Amino acid sequence: MMSHETILIERHDAVTLVRLNRPQALNALNSQVLADLIQAFAAYDADPAQRCLVLTGSEKAFAAGADIKEMSSQGFADMYGSNFFAGWERVTATRKPWIAAVAGYALGGGCEVAMMADFIIAADTAKFGQPEIKLGVSPGMGGSQRLTRAIGKAKAMEMCLTGRMMDAAEAERAGLVARIVAADALIDEALKTAAVIAGMPPLAAIANKEMVNAAFETQLAQGYCSSAGCFTACSGLKTRRKAWPRSSKSGPASGPGADRPNRLTYCGKRIASWRASGSSGLAIWAAAWPPIWRAAGMTSAPLICRPMRWRGPRRRVALPRPPQPRPLRVPKRW
């Protein structure tokens, strides 16, 4: 396992535990912390044996914010030119589930990192806040956006404008954290929850994470389409419940057109075809991918996903022709 300067990594079966380790600075975030976290999250995401991650700090502070010493010497041109906060999106791009276990202070950048997690388990000693306004600046890592979506505009506005802190009980009532546990049991409870998640089918866990994030970040229609696509994708996986018969077993085994491929249609447009097998769900999910439906000539994601089974060639029905007007016959001149 790689050694890092500012974090400690432990593995508990299929769960990875990452601890921020800058006690002299209350785990303040700097460029080295970011580099170490990017490496740790990339290794976790690429390891099929690891299925859930827990990020935590110390009992006194999860992370007390960004490292002011590192930022104080940089002006506008330096920060803007170097895109100072670039790189944190690589942490949020982690596909597998991960949890933030927060005890003590989670302020400024620390609160923002905690909100990047899929959910937060907080100790009863946790305190959250965005006090950047006291330094004459504003949240720079998405805190104003995620906080507003998590607890609503009014409370987020008040916290950002006053810089006050929110305790664990208020954070749970506001919906910022999933649940509160005792401070001395925080890591154990977080690892137990992560172990439950790690015991679930891995692709289903990724799909559920994507669906909830789509509901959080997009409109209802787009989120519904993503939900339907992920559901049908999971229906073709071997890890689904055995009591649920597969489409390849429940489909017609004989008859005209039984050996023909199925056709995937969205709103009357044929997108893809596949053989009758468990991969049918994956074909539906692929058709929900924007480049696919754009290639089919659609301007927006389809709202209805309706796979249609091949029933043989279409029969043409002769429709009665409408009555045609009789031509006007002009008599010949004698």
Side-chain angles (χ1 to χ4, degrees), residues 29-107:
L29 307 174
N30 59 10
S31 56
Q32 185 60 48
V33 174
L34 172 59
D36 289 347
L37 286 178
I38 288 176
Q39 291 183 5
F41 274 79
Y44 157 69
D45 221 14
D47 188 351
Q50 298 300 298
R51 297 186 176 182
C52 192
L53 180 145
V54 176
L55 177 65
T56 189
S58 64
E59 295 181 359
K60 189 174 183 180
F62 174 78
D67 194 335
I68 303 301
K69 294 181 180 179
E70 185 180 56
M71 296 190 300
S72 60
S73 61
Q74 301 192 39
F76 167 77
D78 298 324
M79 286 193 171
Y80 187 76
S82 62
N83 197 3
F84 185 75
F85 293 112
W88 286 104
E89 68 276 2
R90 296 170 65 180
V91 175
T92 59
T94 304
R95 298 190 68 199
K96 295 179 184 178
W98 66 284
I99 305 168
V102 178
Y105 296 105
L107 305 177

Side-chain angles (χ1 to χ4, degrees), residues 237-301:
L237 300 175
K238 294 182 180 180
T239 52
R240 75 180 187 182
R241 296 186 60 178
K242 295 181 180 179
W244 187 2
R246 294 184 178 277
S247 58
S248 59
K249 297 180 181 179
S250 59
S254 61
D259 58 340
R260 298 291 184 89
N262 296 329
R263 290 183 176 181
L264 176 65
T265 59
Y266 276 172
C267 305
K269 292 182 178 289
R270 178 176 174 177
I271 308 298
S273 64
W274 67 93
R275 293 287 174 182
S277 66
S279 63
S280 59
L282 295 178
I284 298 176
W285 178 85
W289 192 41
I292 300 297
W293 49 258
R294 289 198 186 108
M298 301 182 186
T299 58
S300 61

